[in-house]
């Protein structure tokens, strides 16, 4: 009986050892299969995310260009204040000259200009 018990124990040990070897031998392929399955399921979503990110990057680049252009325009405007001050001074000067011209014309309209034909030293003769 002891022989049968020993054979039974040996068979159990060898069966467990064989099963363990089988699991160890097949484990990498199962892991690779699971990995492949995961990649196959998640890859389309990752591709979509990449496409979305590229689109957002293009939009962001356009917006950045627009903002930089606007900042440049604003800086140019602030730098042009000197020119506007010069224009303002020239306009004020032109308005002042226009007023002087208008005033001198209004004075000349009030006082009649002497006629070149009639001289102040020779009064017009009256014939009767």
């Amino acid at each position: 009986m002891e022989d049968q018990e020993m054979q039974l124990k040996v068979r159990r040990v060898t069966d467990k050892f064989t099963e363990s070897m089988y699991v160890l031998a097949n484990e990498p392929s199962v892991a690779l299969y699971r990995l492949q399955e995961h990649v196959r399921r998640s890859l389309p979503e990752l591709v979509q995310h990449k496409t979305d990110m590229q689109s957002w990057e293009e939009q962001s680049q356009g917006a950045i260009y627009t903002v930089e252009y606007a900042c440049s325009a604003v800086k140019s405007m602030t730098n042009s204040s000197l020119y506007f001050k010069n224009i303002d001074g020239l306009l004020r000067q032109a308005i002042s000259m226009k007023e002087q011209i208008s005033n001198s014309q209004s004075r000349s309209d009030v006082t009649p200009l002497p006629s070149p034909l009639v001289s102040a030293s020779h009064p017009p003769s009256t014939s009767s």
Side-chain angles (χ1 to χ4, degrees), residues 72-81 84:
S72 169
V74 168
K75 286 178 184 176
S76 295
M77 284 183 192
T78 57
N79 292 339
S80 65
S81 67
F84 284 118

Side-chain angles (χ1 to χ4, degrees), residues 4-93:
Q4 282 184 343
E5 283 182 36
M6 184 59 102
Q7 283 181 354
L8 185 63
K9 286 181 182 180
V10 167
R11 182 170 297 282
R12 283 184 193 158
V13 168
T14 57
D15 286 346
K16 290 286 185 185
F17 182 74
T18 304
E19 184 182 343
S20 295
M21 291 303 289
Y22 180 78
V23 168
L24 286 174
N26 289 319
E27 184 61 31
S29 64
V30 172
L32 290 175
Y33 174 76
R34 296 289 183 206
L35 185 61
Q36 179 187 12
E37 223 176 36
H38 172 72
V39 168
R40 190 177 304 149
R41 269 188 266 128
S42 62
L43 190 63
E45 185 178 341
L46 289 173
V47 168
Q48 183 62 41
H49 283 304
K50 180 181 177 184
T51 306
D52 291 345
M53 292 300 286
Q54 287 173 336
S55 172
W56 291 339
E57 181 185 15
E58 289 173 8
Q59 290 175 357
S60 298
Q61 289 296 327
I64 288 169
Y65 175 77
T66 303
V67 167
E68 286 176 348
Y69 185 74
C71 288
S72 169
V74 168
K75 286 178 184 176
S76 295
M77 284 183 192
T78 57
N79 292 339
S80 65
S81 67
L82 176 65
Y83 300 110
F84 284 118
K85 287 178 184 177
N86 285 341
I87 291 170
D88 181 52
L90 292 171
L91 285 173
R92 290 180 190 274
Q93 187 179 4

Side-chain angles (χ1 to χ4, degrees), residues 82-109:
L82 176 65
Y83 300 110
F84 284 118
K85 287 178 184 177
N86 285 341
I87 291 170
D88 181 52
L90 292 171
L91 285 173
R92 290 180 190 274
Q93 187 179 4
I95 290 170
S96 173
M97 287 181 170
K98 169 69 172 126
E99 288 174 352
Q100 287 176 357
I101 291 170
S102 294
N103 287 340
S104 68
Q105 282 180 349
S106 66
R107 281 189 217 129
S108 66
D109 287 344

